[in-house]
Amino acid sequence: MLLFFFVDLGAKLDFSTLGGEVGPAVILSLFVLIGNPLIVMAIMGYMGYRKRTGFMAGLTVAQISEFSIVFVAMGIILGHIGVEALGLTTLVGLVTIMMSTYMILYSQPLYERLAPVLGVFERKRPFRELAVERQGRAAGQPDIVVFGLGRYGARLMRQLRQAGIEVLGVDFDPEIVRQLRRQRLPVRFGDGEDPGFLESLPLPDARWVVTTFPQWDCNRAFLHALGEAGFKGRIAGVVRDDIHGAALGAAGVERVLNPFNDAADYAARAFAAEIAYEDAHRADAAEAAVTQAAVTQAAGTQAAGTQAAAPAQSAAAAQPAVSPPAQVPARPQETEP
């Protein structure tokens, strides 16, 4: 039904009146694209959030959305406004929806350019985010800090802890942080691209920092923030393609991990080891069979020889014993008278 509603609404649109609405549409579009984010940043700064959090949240409201057209249509049906307002609202909606999409896509480069002038929207002490950060402070000094606790980062953290290595996890998703804390894992909520937040982490004593951020723009901002925070340890990055890996390597990342390549290499080694084991087992089995056959043959030959010698011995035993001839006593010689 919603589709047919917009089709009917578009059919009522008078394109001949759009030319006269360009000026007001530009002014209203600028107000939505710039004014709305500024208002949100001011509110979030007052509530105790950092300027980057407010900026990213403000970009999501830099459009009027299609519901504004619905409200205008209701006003036209009720007779409160004229039909010409529909053209103005449509123009503003098209401009703001298109521009806000690219503002969100390139939010990180925009923030890097505007960060120096956005300090007015942040308290000296952003108590709301600091309170969340204090809740997850680790007891010991971690050897490895993992940024990004998705499937790969969370599993990496668990395996390191099972190996007896002190590790700290950091993620910007409060739901992920909440779930891992239920599992009694040392995690912190915060933005890894914010130098102010990184300064609150126990980075000076960490040996490794691992970033699992999927986009190069995020990793570039993260590496810049690490430099500002004074981190001197070693950095590892998780990538999903060779282009991202080459960019991280050029940025000074010491170890680049590609889960897909690593998984394929591990599978190849596992198959090769299994095949080599099977071949060795077959060779041992064949050698054992040959040895067993030789032993069996030798035993058979010995048994045959024994059986052939047995009848001869039986025949010899059956013949009667021959007594030596009896000695006849010598006849005495007669003497002549």
Side-chain angles (χ1 to χ4, degrees):
M1 297 299 294
L2 188 61
L3 174 63
F4 293 105
F5 169 78
F6 282 108
V7 171
D8 178 69
L9 194 62
K12 296 179 181 179
L13 184 62
D14 187 3
F15 291 96
S16 62
T17 62
L18 295 181
E21 306 293 343
V22 172
V26 171
I27 296 175
L28 291 176
S29 297
L30 290 176
F31 176 79
V32 173
L33 292 171
I34 300 175
N36 282 7
L38 292 178
I39 294 172
V40 172
M41 289 182 63
I43 294 174
M44 297 197 68
Y46 175 78
M47 293 175 62
Y49 291 95
R50 290 191 173 95
K51 58 183 180 181
R52 188 179 186 279
T53 305
F55 179 79
M56 296 300 176
L59 292 182
T60 61
V61 298
Q63 56 176 295
I64 64 172
S65 80
E66 66 278 5
F67 291 103
S68 300
I69 302 176
V70 174
F71 290 137
V72 170
M74 292 175 60
I76 294 175
I77 294 174
L78 296 174
H80 297 310
I81 56 178
V83 181
E84 63 277 0
L86 179 60
L88 176 61
T89 307
T90 303
L91 281 178
V92 175
L94 290 175
V95 172
T96 56
I97 290 174
M98 180 182 64
M99 294 299 297
S100 64
T101 301
Y102 288 99
M103 291 169 65
I104 294 173
L105 288 175
Y106 298 99
S107 58
Q108 185 56 42
L110 280 176
Y111 176 76
E112 292 178 0
R113 293 177 178 272
L114 299 176
V117 298
L118 296 180
V120 294
F121 297 101
E122 179 179 319
R123 288 174 175 262
K124 293 182 178 180
R125 185 177 176 276
F127 60 90
R128 187 65 60 88
E129 293 193 15
L130 290 176
V132 176
E133 293 169 6
R134 282 194 296 268
Q135 290 178 357
R137 291 191 184 276
Q141 293 294 334
D143 296 318
I144 300 178
V145 181
V146 180
F147 287 85
L149 301 177
R151 288 182 298 176
Y152 187 91
R155 183 172 179 83
L156 176 63
M157 182 179 176
R158 293 190 185 96
Q159 294 297 322
L160 290 172
R161 283 181 59 82
Q162 289 180 6
I165 299 175
E166 291 291 336
V167 59
L168 173 65
V170 179
D171 201 279
F172 196 52
D173 189 337
E175 184 61 28
I176 291 178
V177 172
R178 192 176 299 111
Q179 292 177 0
L180 294 177
R181 283 179 179 171
R182 292 195 191 106
Q183 303 173 17
R184 299 185 180 279
L185 294 175
V187 294
R188 295 279 298 275
F189 171 79
D191 186 3
E193 302 171 26
D194 186 359
F197 169 70
L198 293 183
E199 291 177 357
S200 67
L201 296 176
L203 291 177
D205 296 327
R207 302 182 185 181
W208 282 93
V209 161
V210 181
T211 167
T212 65
F213 298 151
Q215 290 89 14
W216 161 241
D217 292 337
C218 296
N219 278 312
R220 180 178 58 186
F222 171 69
L223 295 175
H224 178 70
L226 275 181
E228 291 188 0
F231 178 69
K232 303 298 182 182
R234 307 163 75 182
I235 304 174
V238 179
V239 301
R240 290 158 180 79
D241 55 73
D242 295 334
I243 298 177
H244 191 184
L248 286 181
V253 174
E254 182 172 340
R255 181 169 299 175
V256 177
L257 307 172
N258 190 320
F260 300 103
N261 292 345
D262 295 343
D265 295 343
Y266 175 81
R269 289 193 298 268
F271 281 120
E274 185 172 350
I275 291 175
Y277 173 78
E278 291 176 354
D279 292 342
H281 183 69
R282 289 175 183 174
D284 293 341
E287 183 178 357
V290 171
T291 303
Q292 183 65 29
V295 171
T296 304
Q297 183 178 3
T301 303
Q302 183 178 2
T306 303
Q307 291 177 359
Q313 294 175 358
S314 300
Q319 291 180 359
V322 180
S323 302
Q327 294 183 1
V328 180
R331 182 179 181 181
Q333 295 180 0
E334 296 181 359
T335 57
E336 294 181 0

